[in-house]
Amino acid sequence: MAHPGPPRPARRAQSFVEHDVTRHDDYHWLRGRDDPEVLEHLRAENAHTDAVLAHLAPLRERLFDELRAHVQEADESAPVPDGPWEYFSRTVAGAQYGIQCRRPRGGGETAVVLDGNVEARGHDYFVLADLAVSPDHRRVAWAADLTGAEHLEIRVRDLQAGDDIDHISGAYYGLAWAADSETLFFTRSDAAHRPFQVWRHRVGTSADSDVCVFEEPDERFFVDVDASRSGDLVFIRAHSKSTSEVWTVDAHAPHEPPRVVQPRIAGVEYEVDHHRSASSGDRLFVLTNDGAEDFRVVVAPLETPSREHWVDVVAGRAGTRVESIDVYASHLVISERHEVDVRLRLIDLDDASAGAGRVVASGAAATSLFAGTTAEFDTATVRAVETSMVEPPADLDIDLRTGARTVVKRQPVPGYARDDHVTTRDWAVAADGTRIPITLVARREVLEGASAAPLLLTGYGAYESSYDPTFRASRLPLLARGFIVAIAHVRGGGELGRAWYEAGRLAQKRNTFTDFVACAQHLCDRGVTTPDRLVARGRSAGGLLMGAITNLRPDLFAAVVAEVPFVDAITTMSDPSLPLTVTEWEEWGDPRDPALHAAMLEYSPYDNVRSAPYPRVLATAGLNDMRVQYWEPAKWVARLRDHSTSDRPILLRTELGAGHGGPSGRYDAWREEAFVLAVICDAVGISA
C-alpha cells in the first residue's frame, strides 16, 4: 500500500538583508518552539519517516540483535584506585544505565555509589552528567540531566547512609570539592546557555548562602571548574575558542578569593596542573601555545605563575601537537599527537637529566594510546587506553619509570574475530595539493579484495577535535555485510596539529568540505567503492559537513546521514540571542563581518540548496537540543524536498524528548543506531 507523500510545511515568506545580500527563508517560522503547528509538523515528519522505512523493520530488529550480541551486557570497567577504595562502573543485563560502584582497595565487598537505573525511574531521559567523590570519600556530588536540555540538578549523597543530603538546582557541568569535603564549587549558565559563573556551596546549608566566586562577563568565554589531582587547588578556567585564563583557589582555604595565573592575552591559550615536592615546592606546569603553534610545556612557581616566570620543560615541535598534561608526584605525563595518532611522553621530575623523557606509543599502525583515568597524585603507574579500529580498547597500567605496560582489562566483544579484520591508512590529495589522511577498517577479504565494496565515510572537521580511529562495536554489523568503514580526517580537526585546524575554520572553512569530497572521490577513483555504494555520515558540526558535501557533490553519494546537523549557519550565527552563538563566532565567524559573511554564505548548507538530483538523506534532530536547534534540520529537509530533482527519499526524524546526544539509555541508543544502520544498508541495496 502506498504511503502518503512527505509533510509540506507552509511557506511563509521572510527575507534577511545583510551586506546588500538578500536571503529568503520561507521556513523561518519553524523555529517557533511553542507553536502547536510546529510540533504537529515534527510529528508528521516522524510519521512519514516511519511509513517510508516500514519495510526495514525486520532488518532493524536483526541489526539491534547483532549490536546487542556484540556487547557483554553484564560487565565491569577497570577499577581506578583512589585512597582506601577502588572505583568502577558496572552494567547489568537488561538495565539501561550504568551503576557506579566502589570496593575496598585490594578486594572486599562492593558498595553502590550511584545506580543510574534507580535515579532514572519516572524520567524518560536520564544522563549522569557529573560525579565527584569528596576527598575524605564520605560523600559524592553528582549531577543529572533529566531532559536533554543540559540544565543540571546537583545532589550530594552520604556514602555511608546512602541518602542524598543536599540539592542544588539550575547548575551546569563542573564540580570540584575543597579539601575539607564540606565545600563544593559548581557552575551556572546564563540565558544563552553559557556557563559563566562559579559558585561556592557548603554542604547542608541553604542555597541562599551560596557565594558566586567568579563571573565571566565576556560572552565569548565559557567557564568551568575542577580540582587538581594533588588536592591542593581548585582551578577555575575561562576560555573562548582562541584565548584562555586560569584562576586558582587554595583548596585548604576555599573562602579565599581566586588568584589569576596569567591574565588573558588575545590568542594565547593555556591550561595548568599543580605539582608539589619537598625539593621544588609548589609549582604550576603550564601547557600553552604562547610562542609555539603546536604548544609547549613550561613551569613556574605557584606564587609567581605569570608568563614572565615561565621556564621551558618541553619546547614546541612543529607537527607534534601537545594536547594535554597530567602532573604526578614524580612524573609529568604528556599526551601528544603525531600524524593523526596519540602517544604518551613520560618525564621524570626527579631526574634533571631526563630531558624530553620517554615516549610510550603503541607501535602498531593507526593505533592510539590515550591517557586514561588516574585518580592519585602519588602513584608509580598511570592508566592509559590503547585502541584502533580493529583493536577493542585495552586499559593499561604504565610504569612511570620504565614505561612497562600491564594490561588491566580488555573490552570483551562477543562474536568478534580480531584476525578477520584489518585497518589501514590511505591519503587523498585535495585540490590545493594537501594530503588528507583516511583511516579504513573492513574484513580482511573485503579490504584486500579486487572489487568495489559498499563504504561508509564519516567525518567531523571542527573545533580542532580529532576524529580518532578507535574501535566501535556498532560498526561490526556493517563490516559483517561487506562494508568498509572509513574516517576522513579533514581540515578543521586536530589530527595534524594546530595548522590543520586553522586551515579549516573561519574564512578557510570550505577546505573541510572539499577535503571530504576529495577523500570520497579518491576512494572511488581507486576502485575501493563506487558512488552508488558510498554513504556519508556525520553528526553536529559533522552534520554541517554532510550538508555542505550534499550540495557540492550530490552525485557522489548514494545516501547522506546528517545527525543533529548544524546546517543553517548564517541565520544561527546572526542571532546572538540563541544559545552558544556568540561563543561560536571564533569558530565559524561573525556574519557582521562582510568577508566572513561571504565565506559562510558560500558553504552554508541551507542557503546553498539548489535544483539538483540529491541523494537519499536522513536527518535527525532533538527537540530539547540546545547546541543545534531542532529547526535547522527541519528547515533543511523541507528546502531539500522543494529542490531535489531525484525521487530519493529525504527524511527527518526528531526525538521529541531528548537533546543533542539522542536517547539516553543504552538499549534505546542501540535501537537508534540499528535504525540508522538499516537506512545505510538499504541505501546500497543490502536488505538482510
Side-chain angles (χ1 to χ4, degrees), residues 23-24 37 74 113 155 165 187 211 291 311 416 429 449 463 501 537 568 579 583 590 603 624 655:
R23 293 186 301 116
H24 301 284
E37 191 175 346
V113 173
R155 288 176 170 79
I165 58 175
T187 66
V211 176
V311 176
Y416 173 63
V429 179
Y463 303 112
Y501 168 52
R537 183 180 185 182
D568 192 16
T583 64
D590 182 347
Y603 69 75
N624 298 330
E655 289 287 342

PDB file of all heavy atoms in Angstrom, residues 23-24 37 74 113 155 165 187 211 291 311 416 429 449 463 501 537 568 579 583 590 603 624 655:
ATOM      1  N   ARG A  23      18.680  37.184   1.582  1.00  0.00           N
ATOM      2  CA  ARG A  23      18.434  35.746   1.727  1.00  0.00           C
ATOM      3  C   ARG A  23      16.946  35.533   2.002  1.00  0.00           C
ATOM      4  O   ARG A  23      16.366  36.241   2.828  1.00  0.00           O
ATOM      5  CB  ARG A  23      19.252  35.156   2.886  1.00  0.00           C
ATOM      6  CG  ARG A  23      20.744  35.169   2.656  1.00  0.00           C
ATOM      7  CD  ARG A  23      21.493  34.430   3.765  1.00  0.00           C
ATOM      8  NE  ARG A  23      21.252  35.004   5.078  1.00  0.00           N
ATOM      9  CZ  ARG A  23      20.640  34.378   6.082  1.00  0.00           C
ATOM     10  NH1 ARG A  23      20.190  33.141   5.924  1.00  0.00           N
ATOM     11  NH2 ARG A  23      20.473  34.974   7.250  1.00  0.00           N
ATOM     12  N   HIS A  24      16.359  34.564   1.340  1.00  0.00           N
ATOM     13  CA  HIS A  24      14.943  34.252   1.513  1.00  0.00           C
ATOM     14  C   HIS A  24      14.813  32.972   2.337  1.00  0.00           C
ATOM     15  O   HIS A  24      15.519  31.993   2.103  1.00  0.00           O
ATOM     16  CB  HIS A  24      14.267  34.076   0.151  1.00  0.00           C
ATOM     17  CG  HIS A  24      14.355  35.285  -0.722  1.00  0.00           C
ATOM     18  ND1 HIS A  24      13.579  36.408  -0.519  1.00  0.00           N
ATOM     19  CD2 HIS A  24      15.147  35.556  -1.799  1.00  0.00           C
ATOM     20  CE1 HIS A  24      13.879  37.322  -1.421  1.00  0.00           C
ATOM     21  NE2 HIS A  24      14.831  36.832  -2.216  1.00  0.00           N
ATOM     22  N   GLU A  37       1.551  24.290  15.702  1.00  0.00           N
ATOM     23  CA  GLU A  37       1.708  23.848  14.324  1.00  0.00           C
ATOM     24  C   GLU A  37       3.105  23.278  14.079  1.00  0.00           C
ATOM     25  O   GLU A  37       3.282  22.371  13.255  1.00  0.00           O
ATOM     26  CB  GLU A  37       1.432  25.021  13.366  1.00  0.00           C
ATOM     27  CG  GLU A  37       1.316  24.589  11.914  1.00  0.00           C
ATOM     28  CD  GLU A  37       0.922  25.736  11.001  1.00  0.00           C
ATOM     29  OE1 GLU A  37       0.491  26.783  11.515  1.00  0.00           O
ATOM     30  OE2 GLU A  37       1.051  25.576   9.768  1.00  0.00           O
ATOM     31  N   ALA A  74      26.500  -7.652  30.908  1.00  0.00           N
ATOM     32  CA  ALA A  74      26.870  -7.578  32.324  1.00  0.00           C
ATOM     33  C   ALA A  74      28.394  -7.489  32.390  1.00  0.00           C
ATOM     34  O   ALA A  74      29.095  -8.444  32.056  1.00  0.00           O
ATOM     35  CB  ALA A  74      26.365  -8.795  33.082  1.00  0.00           C
ATOM     36  N   VAL A 113      27.663   3.243  44.706  1.00  0.00           N
ATOM     37  CA  VAL A 113      27.752   4.693  44.896  1.00  0.00           C
ATOM     38  C   VAL A 113      26.519   5.365  44.305  1.00  0.00           C
ATOM     39  O   VAL A 113      25.888   6.213  44.934  1.00  0.00           O
ATOM     40  CB  VAL A 113      29.038   5.237  44.245  1.00  0.00           C
ATOM     41  CG1 VAL A 113      29.065   6.761  44.290  1.00  0.00           C
ATOM     42  CG2 VAL A 113      30.277   4.661  44.929  1.00  0.00           C
ATOM     43  N   ARG A 155      23.087  16.810  43.369  1.00  0.00           N
ATOM     44  CA  ARG A 155      22.773  16.272  44.685  1.00  0.00           C
ATOM     45  C   ARG A 155      24.057  15.813  45.355  1.00  0.00           C
ATOM     46  O   ARG A 155      25.021  15.445  44.675  1.00  0.00           O
ATOM     47  CB  ARG A 155      21.769  15.114  44.570  1.00  0.00           C
ATOM     48  CG  ARG A 155      20.365  15.585  44.206  1.00  0.00           C
ATOM     49  CD  ARG A 155      19.402  14.444  43.991  1.00  0.00           C
ATOM     50  NE  ARG A 155      18.029  14.914  43.887  1.00  0.00           N
ATOM     51  CZ  ARG A 155      17.492  15.454  42.802  1.00  0.00           C
ATOM     52  NH1 ARG A 155      18.219  15.579  41.716  1.00  0.00           N
ATOM     53  NH2 ARG A 155      16.232  15.852  42.794  1.00  0.00           N
ATOM     54  N   ILE A 165      21.746  14.195  50.772  1.00  0.00           N
ATOM     55  CA  ILE A 165      21.614  15.113  51.901  1.00  0.00           C
ATOM     56  C   ILE A 165      21.583  16.574  51.475  1.00  0.00           C
ATOM     57  O   ILE A 165      21.435  17.459  52.316  1.00  0.00           O
ATOM     58  CB  ILE A 165      22.763  14.903  52.914  1.00  0.00           C
ATOM     59  CG1 ILE A 165      24.122  15.106  52.229  1.00  0.00           C
ATOM     60  CG2 ILE A 165      22.670  13.510  53.542  1.00  0.00           C
ATOM     61  CD1 ILE A 165      25.306  15.042  53.183  1.00  0.00           C
ATOM     62  N   THR A 187      29.156  25.289  38.640  1.00  0.00           N
ATOM     63  CA  THR A 187      28.944  26.367  37.670  1.00  0.00           C
ATOM     64  C   THR A 187      27.460  26.558  37.390  1.00  0.00           C
ATOM     65  O   THR A 187      26.646  25.665  37.595  1.00  0.00           O
ATOM     66  CB  THR A 187      29.666  26.086  36.345  1.00  0.00           C
ATOM     67  OG1 THR A 187      29.065  24.952  35.716  1.00  0.00           O
ATOM     68  CG2 THR A 187      31.147  25.820  36.561  1.00  0.00           C
ATOM     69  N   VAL A 211      27.759  31.422  47.455  1.00  0.00           N
ATOM     70  CA  VAL A 211      28.514  32.611  47.071  1.00  0.00           C
ATOM     71  C   VAL A 211      29.021  32.448  45.637  1.00  0.00           C
ATOM     72  O   VAL A 211      29.623  31.420  45.295  1.00  0.00           O
ATOM     73  CB  VAL A 211      29.712  32.840  48.014  1.00  0.00           C
ATOM     74  CG1 VAL A 211      30.551  34.029  47.553  1.00  0.00           C
ATOM     75  CG2 VAL A 211      29.228  33.050  49.441  1.00  0.00           C
ATOM     76  N   GLY A 291      54.146  31.274  21.897  1.00  0.00           N
ATOM     77  CA  GLY A 291      55.454  31.030  21.310  1.00  0.00           C
ATOM     78  C   GLY A 291      55.619  29.669  20.691  1.00  0.00           C
ATOM     79  O   GLY A 291      56.735  29.299  20.305  1.00  0.00           O
ATOM     80  N   VAL A 311      59.352  28.830  32.475  1.00  0.00           N
ATOM     81  CA  VAL A 311      60.607  28.208  32.045  1.00  0.00           C
ATOM     82  C   VAL A 311      60.268  26.950  31.252  1.00  0.00           C
ATOM     83  O   VAL A 311      59.475  26.116  31.695  1.00  0.00           O
ATOM     84  CB  VAL A 311      61.501  27.844  33.255  1.00  0.00           C
ATOM     85  CG1 VAL A 311      62.757  27.104  32.798  1.00  0.00           C
ATOM     86  CG2 VAL A 311      61.856  29.092  34.046  1.00  0.00           C
ATOM     87  N   TYR A 416      33.362 -11.317  18.000  1.00  0.00           N
ATOM     88  CA  TYR A 416      34.286 -10.551  17.163  1.00  0.00           C
ATOM     89  C   TYR A 416      35.592 -11.312  17.007  1.00  0.00           C
ATOM     90  O   TYR A 416      36.213 -11.711  17.995  1.00  0.00           O
ATOM     91  CB  TYR A 416      34.558  -9.184  17.774  1.00  0.00           C
ATOM     92  CG  TYR A 416      35.632  -8.392  17.060  1.00  0.00           C
ATOM     93  CD1 TYR A 416      35.456  -7.991  15.740  1.00  0.00           C
ATOM     94  CD2 TYR A 416      36.812  -8.042  17.708  1.00  0.00           C
ATOM     95  CE1 TYR A 416      36.432  -7.257  15.076  1.00  0.00           C
ATOM     96  CE2 TYR A 416      37.794  -7.303  17.059  1.00  0.00           C
ATOM     97  CZ  TYR A 416      37.597  -6.917  15.740  1.00  0.00           C
ATOM     98  OH  TYR A 416      38.574  -6.193  15.092  1.00  0.00           O
ATOM     99  N   VAL A 429      44.380  13.469  -2.032  1.00  0.00           N
ATOM    100  CA  VAL A 429      45.024  14.749  -2.328  1.00  0.00           C
ATOM    101  C   VAL A 429      43.937  15.767  -2.651  1.00  0.00           C
ATOM    102  O   VAL A 429      43.128  15.564  -3.576  1.00  0.00           O
ATOM    103  CB  VAL A 429      46.008  14.624  -3.501  1.00  0.00           C
ATOM    104  CG1 VAL A 429      46.643  15.986  -3.799  1.00  0.00           C
ATOM    105  CG2 VAL A 429      47.091  13.595  -3.178  1.00  0.00           C
ATOM    106  N   GLY A 449      40.317  -7.248  -1.254  1.00  0.00           N
ATOM    107  CA  GLY A 449      39.695  -7.770  -2.465  1.00  0.00           C
ATOM    108  C   GLY A 449      39.844  -6.824  -3.637  1.00  0.00           C
ATOM    109  O   GLY A 449      40.247  -5.664  -3.509  1.00  0.00           O
ATOM    110  N   TYR A 463      36.489  22.570  15.546  1.00  0.00           N
ATOM    111  CA  TYR A 463      36.897  22.795  16.936  1.00  0.00           C
ATOM    112  C   TYR A 463      38.274  22.197  17.282  1.00  0.00           C
ATOM    113  O   TYR A 463      38.590  22.003  18.441  1.00  0.00           O
ATOM    114  CB  TYR A 463      35.859  22.211  17.906  1.00  0.00           C
ATOM    115  CG  TYR A 463      34.473  22.751  17.719  1.00  0.00           C
ATOM    116  CD1 TYR A 463      33.443  21.939  17.243  1.00  0.00           C
ATOM    117  CD2 TYR A 463      34.174  24.080  18.010  1.00  0.00           C
ATOM    118  CE1 TYR A 463      32.169  22.434  17.064  1.00  0.00           C
ATOM    119  CE2 TYR A 463      32.900  24.580  17.838  1.00  0.00           C
ATOM    120  CZ  TYR A 463      31.895  23.765  17.368  1.00  0.00           C
ATOM    121  OH  TYR A 463      30.622  24.259  17.191  1.00  0.00           O
ATOM    122  N   TYR A 501      43.939  22.593  11.952  1.00  0.00           N
ATOM    123  CA  TYR A 501      42.709  23.217  12.438  1.00  0.00           C
ATOM    124  C   TYR A 501      42.504  24.583  11.789  1.00  0.00           C
ATOM    125  O   TYR A 501      41.426  24.886  11.262  1.00  0.00           O
ATOM    126  CB  TYR A 501      42.778  23.337  13.952  1.00  0.00           C
ATOM    127  CG  TYR A 501      41.717  24.204  14.591  1.00  0.00           C
ATOM    128  CD1 TYR A 501      40.370  24.017  14.324  1.00  0.00           C
ATOM    129  CD2 TYR A 501      42.071  25.215  15.495  1.00  0.00           C
ATOM    130  CE1 TYR A 501      39.399  24.801  14.926  1.00  0.00           C
ATOM    131  CE2 TYR A 501      41.107  25.994  16.109  1.00  0.00           C
ATOM    132  CZ  TYR A 501      39.775  25.801  15.822  1.00  0.00           C
ATOM    133  OH  TYR A 501      38.820  26.579  16.416  1.00  0.00           O
ATOM    134  N   ARG A 537      28.278   9.986   6.524  1.00  0.00           N
ATOM    135  CA  ARG A 537      27.605  10.162   7.815  1.00  0.00           C
ATOM    136  C   ARG A 537      28.397  11.128   8.694  1.00  0.00           C
ATOM    137  O   ARG A 537      29.622  11.045   8.785  1.00  0.00           O
ATOM    138  CB  ARG A 537      27.469   8.814   8.535  1.00  0.00           C
ATOM    139  CG  ARG A 537      26.717   8.879   9.856  1.00  0.00           C
ATOM    140  CD  ARG A 537      26.628   7.501  10.512  1.00  0.00           C
ATOM    141  NE  ARG A 537      25.801   7.537  11.718  1.00  0.00           N
ATOM    142  CZ  ARG A 537      25.583   6.496  12.520  1.00  0.00           C
ATOM    143  NH1 ARG A 537      26.124   5.306  12.237  1.00  0.00           N
ATOM    144  NH2 ARG A 537      24.811   6.614  13.593  1.00  0.00           N
ATOM    145  N   ASP A 568      22.167  25.550   9.218  1.00  0.00           N
ATOM    146  CA  ASP A 568      21.639  26.893   8.940  1.00  0.00           C
ATOM    147  C   ASP A 568      22.611  27.911   9.523  1.00  0.00           C
ATOM    148  O   ASP A 568      22.271  28.726  10.379  1.00  0.00           O
ATOM    149  CB  ASP A 568      20.238  27.027   9.553  1.00  0.00           C
ATOM    150  CG  ASP A 568      19.509  28.267   9.060  1.00  0.00           C
ATOM    151  OD1 ASP A 568      19.934  28.855   8.046  1.00  0.00           O
ATOM    152  OD2 ASP A 568      18.516  28.655   9.697  1.00  0.00           O
ATOM    153  N   PRO A 579      21.270  30.235  22.167  1.00  0.00           N
ATOM    154  CA  PRO A 579      22.322  29.631  22.970  1.00  0.00           C
ATOM    155  C   PRO A 579      23.584  29.391  22.154  1.00  0.00           C
ATOM    156  O   PRO A 579      23.524  28.883  21.033  1.00  0.00           O
ATOM    157  CB  PRO A 579      21.695  28.310  23.437  1.00  0.00           C
ATOM    158  CG  PRO A 579      20.227  28.559  23.412  1.00  0.00           C
ATOM    159  CD  PRO A 579      20.005  29.488  22.252  1.00  0.00           C
ATOM    160  N   THR A 583      29.689  32.605  21.507  1.00  0.00           N
ATOM    161  CA  THR A 583      30.899  31.828  21.775  1.00  0.00           C
ATOM    162  C   THR A 583      31.396  31.111  20.525  1.00  0.00           C
ATOM    163  O   THR A 583      32.573  30.748  20.448  1.00  0.00           O
ATOM    164  CB  THR A 583      30.652  30.783  22.882  1.00  0.00           C
ATOM    165  OG1 THR A 583      29.675  29.834  22.429  1.00  0.00           O
ATOM    166  CG2 THR A 583      30.160  31.441  24.148  1.00  0.00           C
ATOM    167  N   ASP A 590      31.820  35.733  12.650  1.00  0.00           N
ATOM    168  CA  ASP A 590      30.724  36.641  12.960  1.00  0.00           C
ATOM    169  C   ASP A 590      30.202  37.200  11.639  1.00  0.00           C
ATOM    170  O   ASP A 590      30.921  37.928  10.942  1.00  0.00           O
ATOM    171  CB  ASP A 590      31.240  37.763  13.867  1.00  0.00           C
ATOM    172  CG  ASP A 590      30.153  38.732  14.285  1.00  0.00           C
ATOM    173  OD1 ASP A 590      29.060  38.694  13.692  1.00  0.00           O
ATOM    174  OD2 ASP A 590      30.408  39.535  15.203  1.00  0.00           O
ATOM    175  N   TYR A 603      29.169  28.393   1.787  1.00  0.00           N
ATOM    176  CA  TYR A 603      29.027  26.978   2.137  1.00  0.00           C
ATOM    177  C   TYR A 603      27.790  26.646   2.959  1.00  0.00           C
ATOM    178  O   TYR A 603      27.424  25.480   3.062  1.00  0.00           O
ATOM    179  CB  TYR A 603      30.268  26.473   2.878  1.00  0.00           C
ATOM    180  CG  TYR A 603      30.468  27.023   4.275  1.00  0.00           C
ATOM    181  CD1 TYR A 603      29.688  26.579   5.343  1.00  0.00           C
ATOM    182  CD2 TYR A 603      31.463  27.954   4.545  1.00  0.00           C
ATOM    183  CE1 TYR A 603      29.873  27.059   6.629  1.00  0.00           C
ATOM    184  CE2 TYR A 603      31.668  28.440   5.833  1.00  0.00           C
ATOM    185  CZ  TYR A 603      30.876  27.991   6.869  1.00  0.00           C
ATOM    186  OH  TYR A 603      31.065  28.471   8.137  1.00  0.00           O
ATOM    187  N   ASN A 624      14.864  19.083  22.409  1.00  0.00           N
ATOM    188  CA  ASN A 624      15.451  19.793  23.546  1.00  0.00           C
ATOM    189  C   ASN A 624      16.915  20.149  23.328  1.00  0.00           C
ATOM    190  O   ASN A 624      17.611  20.539  24.270  1.00  0.00           O
ATOM    191  CB  ASN A 624      15.323  18.946  24.813  1.00  0.00           C
ATOM    192  CG  ASN A 624      13.880  18.686  25.189  1.00  0.00           C
ATOM    193  OD1 ASN A 624      13.004  19.509  24.906  1.00  0.00           O
ATOM    194  ND2 ASN A 624      13.608  17.558  25.820  1.00  0.00           N
ATOM    195  N   GLU A 655      13.735  13.414  17.833  1.00  0.00           N
ATOM    196  CA  GLU A 655      13.499  12.897  19.181  1.00  0.00           C
ATOM    197  C   GLU A 655      12.787  13.989  19.968  1.00  0.00           C
ATOM    198  O   GLU A 655      13.365  15.039  20.250  1.00  0.00           O
ATOM    199  CB  GLU A 655      14.820  12.520  19.851  1.00  0.00           C
ATOM    200  CG  GLU A 655      15.488  11.288  19.293  1.00  0.00           C
ATOM    201  CD  GLU A 655      14.768  10.004  19.691  1.00  0.00           C
ATOM    202  OE1 GLU A 655      13.978  10.047  20.650  1.00  0.00           O
ATOM    203  OE2 GLU A 655      14.992   8.976  19.039  1.00  0.00           O
TER     204      GLU A 655
END
